[in-house]
Amino acid sequence: MSEHLRPDILGRLRTRDAEERARAAQQLCSQVTDSEAIERHGEQNPLYVELNTRLVKLLNPASDILDRLAGTAILLALVDVDSLEDKQKFRITQQTKTQLAGSEMAISNEAVAIYKKLIEKRWASVMSSVETEVNRCLEWLGSERNEVRRMTALRVIEVLCSNHLVPLHSYLTKFFATLSNPLRDQRSEIRVAAARTLGACMGLIPMSERNVRNPGLNFLYEELQRNFQMASVEGYHGALLVSQELLQHGGMYMQSHFGQVCDMALKLKEYRDPIVHKAAIALLPVLARYSPQEFTRVNTGSSESMMGRACNYLITLSRTSDRDRAAAFLALGNIAQFCSTEYR
């Protein structure tokens, strides 16, 4: 068994190919674990010591982007090593949290992936600091101008809420309030990420409490209305995104607001900005899935159901717009699937 990490594998770590980088990192970790199987040394394993020394250098903020990506690839592979001791796990956790605070989106993406895996494995070293991490994320969203950190904060909160961690229930009010600004941010990527995070947060609400009496959901609907009344690209897009999350994660809550959201989608379906236009089209099948009966019903004072108006528009769009043809066909197919029983 070699007493040193294989140089050919180390060289492959600096590739721009993410898959090749991951394979090289896994092979390095396999070399360490194979040596452990022969003679157990724990964190004193010479290969692990060498690997950690290289990790420290690779993850140094002064290192170039390829070095730091190599370092995050090693961290991600190490998380799956079963023989890690508590001190090793603590070190990996701290190194990951340091990378989360960086200002490079590529590094942030990798660090969030590692953090997600740590949470899923419920390592004590990461579970003991969940609330500290939440408060750091809330601080970044409230005052940080660095867009990478704001995006990282959104994604970390999404990871934490998606894993239904009990301590986070007490943060729901803060989450909803803090997400208000990102949901109408100037950057569409921030708005979309905030909406995904919002959906994950709503998953913490017990299903029995997802109704019109829930103060958190009422707050979100009021924010939706405020966004719509802004009459801007950011406001309209934010309103559509919040509507979609409420329909998908709000349980029975949206039954009393279904008509208003239908009207909003119809009003914005031909909006001049493509981001708002596409979001309105994407919302139509979500409405159909939420309440097929209401979607296909012809209301008093109207000669056409919501489904009729939506489908006539989508059919015309599929014939006249090369840019929107694929989205129109997808929306039509989903509406047909969700309303098949009512339509017959």
Side-chain angles (χ1 to χ4, degrees):
M1 179 68 65
S2 173
E3 295 183 359
H4 298 284
L5 298 172
R6 288 172 52 187
D8 59 317
I9 301 177
L10 291 170
R12 286 163 46 212
L13 279 168
R14 296 192 79 256
T15 178
R16 294 184 182 275
D17 185 330
E19 293 184 1
E20 178 63 19
R21 192 165 57 235
R23 282 193 292 269
Q26 288 170 354
Q27 288 175 350
L28 275 183
C29 293
S30 294
Q31 189 182 357
V32 175
T33 54
D34 289 347
S35 68
E36 278 289 286
I38 295 173
E39 188 173 356
R40 188 167 182 82
H41 296 286
E43 67 172 343
Q44 301 305 316
N45 183 325
L47 289 178
Y48 178 78
V49 172
E50 181 184 352
L51 183 62
N52 189 60
T53 301
R54 289 183 179 274
L55 254 179
V56 172
K57 293 180 180 178
L58 291 169
L59 294 173
N60 191 303
S63 299
D64 67 25
I65 186 72
L66 288 179
D67 277 345
R68 282 179 286 157
L69 285 173
T72 55
I74 293 172
L75 284 178
L76 188 60
L78 276 173
V79 175
D80 287 325
V81 174
D82 295 329
S83 59
L84 292 175
E85 297 179 349
D86 288 342
K87 287 184 179 179
Q88 294 168 306
K89 292 180 178 180
F90 178 79
R91 185 179 296 115
I92 291 169
T93 300
Q94 294 305 111
Q95 289 170 323
T96 301
K97 291 170 69 175
T98 299
Q99 298 309 305
L100 286 172
S103 57
E104 293 274 359
M105 186 61 75
I107 302 299
S108 168
N109 290 339
E110 298 302 315
V112 171
I114 300 165
Y115 190 75
K116 179 181 180 182
K117 189 174 284 191
L118 295 178
I119 290 294
E120 290 171 349
K121 286 182 173 290
R122 297 296 199 269
W123 281 8
S125 57
V126 71
M127 298 306 291
S128 63
S129 61
V130 163
E131 293 193 59
T132 300
E133 198 60 39
V134 166
N135 288 324
R136 181 167 75 157
C137 289
L138 290 173
E139 181 181 348
W140 286 348
L141 288 172
S143 60
E144 183 62 61
R145 293 186 178 183
N146 185 312
E147 290 185 350
V148 174
R149 283 190 174 179
R150 294 172 67 219
M151 182 68 82
T152 300
L154 291 170
R155 295 181 64 196
V156 168
I157 293 174
E158 180 188 1
V159 165
L160 292 169
C161 292
S162 296
N163 280 274
H164 303 288
L165 304 184
V166 173
L168 298 184
H169 285 77
S170 61
Y171 283 88
L172 270 177
T173 301
K174 285 185 179 179
F175 287 155
F176 290 161
T178 304
L179 288 172
S180 295
N181 285 331
L183 282 164
R184 46 178 172 258
D185 192 87
Q186 290 185 344
R187 288 187 59 197
S188 62
E189 297 90 343
I190 294 285
R191 298 196 296 270
V192 171
R196 286 199 306 267
T197 303
L198 179 65
C201 293
M202 290 168 63
L204 295 174
I205 303 174
M207 190 60 71
S208 60
E209 297 178 16
R210 301 183 196 185
N211 52 52
V212 292
R213 294 186 300 277
N214 188 287
L217 297 181
N218 282 324
F219 171 81
L220 293 178
Y221 189 75
E222 290 167 4
E223 283 295 296
L224 180 164
Q225 291 177 308
R226 275 192 284 270
N227 285 345
F228 184 76
Q229 290 165 3
M230 287 172 61
S232 65
V233 170
E234 295 81 8
Y236 284 150
H237 190 215
L240 290 166
L241 291 172
V242 174
S243 296
Q244 181 163 327
E245 298 304 324
L246 281 169
L247 288 164
Q248 292 177 328
H249 304 286
M252 303 296 288
Y253 178 81
M254 288 296 280
Q255 281 192 333
S256 59
H257 302 296
F258 187 80
Q260 295 96 312
V261 176
C262 285
D263 290 341
M264 180 177 66
L266 289 174
K267 178 178 179 178
L268 297 177
K269 69 185 187 309
E270 297 181 84
Y271 192 73
R272 64 182 183 277
D273 184 89
I275 292 176
V276 174
H277 166 67
K278 289 178 181 177
I281 292 173
L283 186 59
L284 295 175
V286 177
L287 287 161
R289 184 176 189 176
Y290 183 81
S291 182
Q293 296 84 0
E294 287 296 319
F295 198 75
T296 55
R297 179 178 299 162
V298 178
N299 295 318
T300 304
S302 173
S303 61
E304 204 171 15
S305 67
M306 175 66 186
M307 185 179 78
R309 296 169 69 186
C311 289
N312 286 337
Y313 168 72
L314 291 170
I315 291 169
T316 301
L317 192 66
S318 69
R319 292 171 176 170
T320 59
S321 173
D322 292 338
R323 183 190 66 181
D324 296 316
R325 183 170 292 118
F329 276 129
L330 180 62
L332 281 167
N334 286 331
I335 290 172
Q337 177 186 356
F338 301 142
C339 299
S340 59
T341 302
E342 284 72 17
Y343 187 69
R344 287 198 297 267

